[in-house]
C-alpha cells in the first residue's frame, strides 16, 4: 500500500467505512509529499479548513479536497511572502526611507501614538478610501489602542469583515441551506419533544446552582505567586490521596521520583514540558512533584515501557517506576485515577419531579409530552460582517414555537473578537432609551441581545433562560477564568433569566449539568501527546474522558499560547485565549459527583456522546464566521422509579440520563 494510506484512511474515512476513494487518497498523499507533513497534521489542517468554510456541508469529495489543497498552498505562499518582507525590511535597515504603503499612510506604523490627534485612515482602496477618510461616522468612535486619537471610520472595517479570509464573502443568514436539519442524533430510539398545545401555567423546571456563585466575585488580576503555587501543589497531594484509597496502598509505596533509588515506587505528579515554548512530545516529558513528596522538583520522564497512554500538560498522573540513575524516572505502569461517583437522588425526590413534568403513565412509558425540551447554544451569535444577531433571533423563535422548558445560552454573547465590536465601528438601532453620543457596550447588549430574550420571555412566561459568560464577552468586567456571572439588571435581562458563573454546575430538576464556556477540547487536541497506540481511536470521545478523569473543567496547564490559537477576525488577529487566574483554579473542580450532562462548546465538530456514563455534548457555535452554525436540542425523558427502588426508600438511585435523553444536533 502506498505511503501514509493506512493513516489517511484512519483519519479521513467516514463512519462505517474503512477506506476513502482512490482519487481522494491520491490528492491527500500529494499534499503530504508537497509539504512534508504527517497524516495527523494534514487532518488537523482539514478540520481548520472546514471550520473556516463555516459549514458542516464541507464534505470530503474530489472537488473540496482540491480546493483544500489550493488553500494549503495559498497559506504557505502567504507565510513565505510575509517572511521575505520581514527579511527585506531588515536588510534595508532602520535608516532607509520607507516607501509609500498601499494605504497611503504610515508604512511601518512608526508614527502611531506620536501624532495622537491626527485622524487615522481606514484600510481600503482608491477613491472609496479617500472619501471614507472624510466622512462623519454615525456617532463618535474612539480607538481603544489610541484613546486620544480622532474618531475612526467604521465603513471600511465593515467591508473588510464582509470580505475577509482569502477574499471569500459571507453567506447571508437568510440564504443558509438545510435550516433545521438534524446532523447527529444520540438515542434516536427515544421520541423527540413535541410542541405543547400551550405554554405550561408554571415552569416545569426547578433550577438549582450546585456551585457557590458568591466565590466567583473575586478581584481579578490580583494574583500572588505563593497562592497560585499552593493551589497547584494541593491538587497533586489530593490526587495522591485518591489513588492511595482507590488502590489500597500504604504510605511507603509512594516516593520522590527525583531521588536516585533502586526501589520501585509510585510517583504522583503533574505532566509538564521541559521546553514550555514548544509543543509537548515524548522526548520533552517531565514529571513535576509537589513540595511535600518531591520538593517541587521536575524530573525527566521516560515512558518507553508504556504500551499506550495519552499525556497533556497539567495532567495529574500516578506512575509506577524507578529512578536508578538519578537522571530520569522510568515509568512502567500508569495507575488509574478513580472516577467520581455518578449523580443520584432519593426515589421520593424523583417522584415529585415526575409529577411536576406530567409523568403519570401507570406503565411507566416515556412519552414526548412528559419529556423536558431544553435548547443549548454557544456563541458567537452573529456573523463577523454584521451585528444583526439573526441566529439568536431564530433560536428564540424556535424556543417560542416549541414552548421550550429551558434555553441555555453559552457565551460569548457579545464577542470582543467580533471585528465590529473590537473597533467600535457600528451603528446602534434606533432606541429612545439611549443617547447615541453616550452609548456604551452595555446599551448595545441591552438592545441587540437582551431584546429578543425579553420578547421570548413574554411569549413563553414559563421558560427558564440560563446565561453563561465567556472570557470573550465584552460586557463582563471579569476578565479571567473562573468568571463571575453577568450583571442581570444593567443588561436588561428578563426575570426568567438566570445568570451563572463560568464554569458552573447546575441541576435542572434532578439532572446535574456541568457547563464551561472555554474551549478545552480544542486546546487538549492541540497539546495531547499519545504514547504508543491510543486506547481510544475516536478523538471526540478521548478528549472529554481527560476532563472527566481529571475532575476539572480545565485540566490543561499552562493554557495554550494565544499565538497558537486560531486567528481572530480583529485588527491584530490575536485570540483572547485563556486568561487563567491560578489562585482560584479550584473553582473549576468537580467536588462530589460526576455530572449527568457535560456541555463543552468547541470549535471542533459538534457531537453528542456517552463517555464514562456522562452525556457529553458539543453543540457547536450557533454562528460561524461566515455562515450559520448549529445548536443542541435535548429531550429529557423522566426517570422511571421501579418497584424495587421504591421499596428501598432511603437508598439513592442513579439518574442514568445517558439512557433516557435524546440529543439532536440541529442546524439553525
Amino acid at each position: 500500500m502506498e505511503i501514509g494510506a493506512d493513516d489517511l484512511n484512519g483519519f479521513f474515512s467516514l463512519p462505517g467505512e474503512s477506506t476513502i476513494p482512490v482519487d481522494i487518497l491520491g490528492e491527500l498523499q500529494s499534499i503530504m509529499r508537497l509539504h512534508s507533513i504527517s497524516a495527523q497534521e494534514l487532518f488537523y489542517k482539514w478540520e481548520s479548513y472546514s471550520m473556516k468554510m463555516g459549514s458542516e456541508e464541507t464534505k470530503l469529495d474530489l472537488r473540496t479536497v482540491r480546493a483544500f489543497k489550493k488553500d494549503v498552498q495559498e497559506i504557505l505562499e502567504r507565510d513565505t511572502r510575509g517572511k521575505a518582507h520581514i527579511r527585506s525590511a531588515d536588510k534595508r535597515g532602520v535608516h532607509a526611507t520607507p516607501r509609500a504603503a498601499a494605504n497611503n499612510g504610515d508604512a511601518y506604523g512608526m508614527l502611531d501614538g506620536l501624532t495622537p490627534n491626527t485622524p487615522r485612515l481606514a484600510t481600503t482602496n482608491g477613491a472609496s478610501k479617500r472619501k471614507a477618510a472624510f466622512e462623519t461616522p454615525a456617532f463618535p468612535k474612539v480607538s481603544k489602542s489610541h484613546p486620544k486619537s480622532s474618531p475612526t471610520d467604521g465603513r471600511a472595517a465593515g467591508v473588510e469583515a464582509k470580505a475577509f479570509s482569502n477574499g471569500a464573502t459571507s453567506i447571508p443568514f437568510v440564504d443558509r441551506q438545510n435550516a433545521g436539519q438534524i446532523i447527529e442524533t444520540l438515542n434516536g430510539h427515544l421520541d423527540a419533544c413535541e410542541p405543547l398545545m400551550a405554554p405550561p401555567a408554571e415552569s416545569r423546571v426547578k433550577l438549582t446552582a450546585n456551585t457557590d456563585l458568591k466565590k466567583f466575585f473575586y478581584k481579578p488580576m490580583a494574583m500572588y505567586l505563593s497562592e497560585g503555587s499552593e493551589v497547584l501543589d494541593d491538587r497533586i497531594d489530593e490526587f495522591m490521596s485518591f489513588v492511595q484509597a482507590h488502590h489500597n496502598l500504604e504510605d511507603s509505596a509512594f516516593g520522590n521520583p527525583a531521588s536516585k533509588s533502586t526501589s520501585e515506587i509510585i510517583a504522583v505528579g503533574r505532566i509538564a514540558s521541559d521546553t514550555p515554548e514548544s509543543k509537548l512530545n515524548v522526548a520533552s516529558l517531565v514529571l513535576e512533584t509537589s513540595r511535600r513528596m518531591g520538593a517541587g522538583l521536575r524530573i525527566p520522564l521516560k515512558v518507553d515501557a508504556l504500551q499506550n497512554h495519552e499525556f497533556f500538560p497539567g495532567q495529574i498522573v500516578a506512575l509506577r517506576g524507578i529512578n536508578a540513575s538519578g537522571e530520569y524516572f522510568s515509568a512502567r505502569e500508569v495507575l488509574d485515577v478513580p472516577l467520581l461517583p455518578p449523580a443520584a437522588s432519593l426515589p421520593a425526590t424523583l417522584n415529585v419531579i415526575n409529577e411536576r413534568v406530567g409523568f403519570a403513565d401507570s406503565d411507566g412509558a416515556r412519552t414526548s409530552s412528559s419529556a423536558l425540551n431544553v435548547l443549548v447554544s454557544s456563541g458567537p451569535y452573529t456573523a463577523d460582517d454584521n451585528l444583526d444577531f439573526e441566529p439568536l433571533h431564530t433560536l428564540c423563535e424556535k424556543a417560542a414555537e416549541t414552548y421550550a422548558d429551558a434555553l441555555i445560552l453559552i457565551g460569548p454573547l457579545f464577542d470582543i473578537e467580533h471585528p465590529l465590536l473590537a473597533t467600535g465601528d457600528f451603528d446602534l438601532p434606533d432606541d429612545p432609551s439611549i443617547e447615541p453620543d453616550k452609548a456604551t457596550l452595555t446599551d448595545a447588549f441591552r438592545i441587540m441581545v437582551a431584546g429578543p430574550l425579553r420578547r421570548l420571555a413574554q411569549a413563553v412566561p414559563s421558560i427558564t433562560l440560563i446565561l453563561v459568560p465567556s472570557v470573550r464577552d465584552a460586557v463582563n468586567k471579569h476578565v479571567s477564568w473562573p468568571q463571575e456571572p453577568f450583571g442581570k439588571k444593567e443588561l436588561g435581562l428578563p426575570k426568567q433569566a438566570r445568570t451563572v458563573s463560568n464554569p458552573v454546575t447546575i441541576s435542572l430538576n434532578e439532572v446535574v449539568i456541568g457547563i464551561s464556556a472555554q474551549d478545552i477540547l480544542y486546546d487538549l487536541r492541540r497539546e495531547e501527546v499519545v504514547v504508543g497506540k491510543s486506547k481510544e481511536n475516536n478523538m471526540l470521545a478521548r478528549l472529554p474522558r481527560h476532563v472527566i478523569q481529571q475532575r476539572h473543567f480545565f485540566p490543561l496547564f499552562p493554557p495554550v499560547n494565544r499565538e497558537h490559537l486560531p486567528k481572530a477576525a480583529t485588527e491584530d488577529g490575536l485570540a483572547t485565549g485563556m486568561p487563567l487566574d491560578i489562585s482560584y483554579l479550584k473553582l473549576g473542580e468537580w467536588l462530589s459527583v460526576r455530572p449527568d450532562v457535560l456541555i463543552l462548546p468547541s470549535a471542533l465538530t459538534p457531537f453528542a456522546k456517552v463517555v464514562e456514563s456522562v452525556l457529553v455534548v458539543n453543540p457547536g457555535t450557533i454562528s460561524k464566521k461566515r455562515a450559520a452554525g448549529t445548536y443542541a436540542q435535548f429531550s429529557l425523558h423522566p426517570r422511571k422509579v421501579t418497584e424495587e427502588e421504591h421499596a428501598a426508600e432511603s437508598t439513592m438511585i442513579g439518574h442514568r440520563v445517558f439512557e433516557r435523553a435524546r440529543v439532536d444536533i440541529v442546524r439553525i
Side-chain angles (χ1 to χ4, degrees), residues 218-271:
Y218 63 88
K219 184 179 180 182
M221 302 179 67
M223 181 176 62
Y224 294 94
L225 292 178
S226 58
E227 293 179 358
S229 64
E230 288 175 2
V231 170
L232 296 174
D233 215 45
D234 291 344
R235 183 163 167 79
I236 298 177
D237 292 336
E238 287 176 0
F239 269 70
M240 189 179 77
S241 63
F242 299 153
V243 172
Q244 183 176 9
H246 181 68
H247 295 278
N248 297 319
L249 300 171
E250 300 291 336
D251 291 341
S252 58
F254 297 89
N256 180 6
S259 297
K260 181 178 179 180
S261 174
T262 56
S263 301
E264 190 176 68
I265 64 168
I266 295 174
V268 180
R270 177 180 290 104
I271 295 296

Side-chain angles (χ1 to χ4, degrees), residues 253-456:
F254 297 89
N256 180 6
S259 297
K260 181 178 179 180
S261 174
T262 56
S263 301
E264 190 176 68
I265 64 168
I266 295 174
V268 180
R270 177 180 290 104
I271 295 296
S273 174
D274 61 0
T275 53
E277 63 277 0
S278 63
K279 187 179 183 296
L280 183 71
N281 56 65
V282 175
S284 65
L285 283 171
V286 297
L287 186 68
E288 179 184 297
T289 63
S290 66
R291 282 175 285 191
R292 173 187 164 195
M293 295 302 298
L297 296 175
R298 288 185 172 186
I299 183 72
L301 196 57
K302 191 173 182 180
V303 294
D304 297 344
L306 299 180
Q307 295 296 324
N308 45 38
H309 201 75
E310 302 89 23
F311 296 102
F312 60 87
Q315 182 183 20
I316 308 297
V317 294
L319 305 173
R320 190 190 301 273
I322 190 172
N323 183 357
S325 65
E327 296 180 356
Y328 59 85
F329 184 78
S330 180
R332 71 171 184 84
E333 181 187 0
V334 181
L335 277 67
D336 293 332
V337 175
L339 299 176
L340 285 168
S345 300
L346 292 172
T349 303
L350 294 176
N351 287 333
V352 172
I353 293 172
N354 289 344
E355 291 178 5
R356 182 188 302 127
V357 299
F359 181 58
D361 289 352
S362 58
D363 59 352
R366 291 171 178 148
T367 62
S368 57
S369 60
S370 60
L372 287 180
N373 180 15
V374 180
L375 306 181
V376 179
S377 65
S378 174
Y381 288 84
T382 188
D384 276 2
D385 64 337
N386 66 75
L387 288 175
D388 296 333
F389 289 91
E390 293 170 299
L392 177 62
H393 286 268
T394 303
L395 182 65
C396 290
E397 292 172 1
K398 172 70 175 178
E401 291 172 1
T402 59
Y403 298 120
D405 294 290
L407 172 60
I408 301 177
L409 301 173
I410 305 172
L413 280 86
F414 223 50
D415 191 3
I416 194 63
E417 292 185 6
H418 193 288
L420 301 182
L421 288 177
T423 59
D425 294 325
F426 62 92
D427 296 332
L428 286 172
D430 293 333
D431 191 281
S433 64
I434 61 172
E435 300 180 36
D437 293 339
K438 299 180 180 179
T440 64
L441 288 178
T442 300
D443 296 322
F445 182 97
R446 191 169 64 248
I447 299 171
M448 298 178 177
V449 178
L453 297 182
R454 289 193 298 268
R455 290 189 289 273
L456 171 61

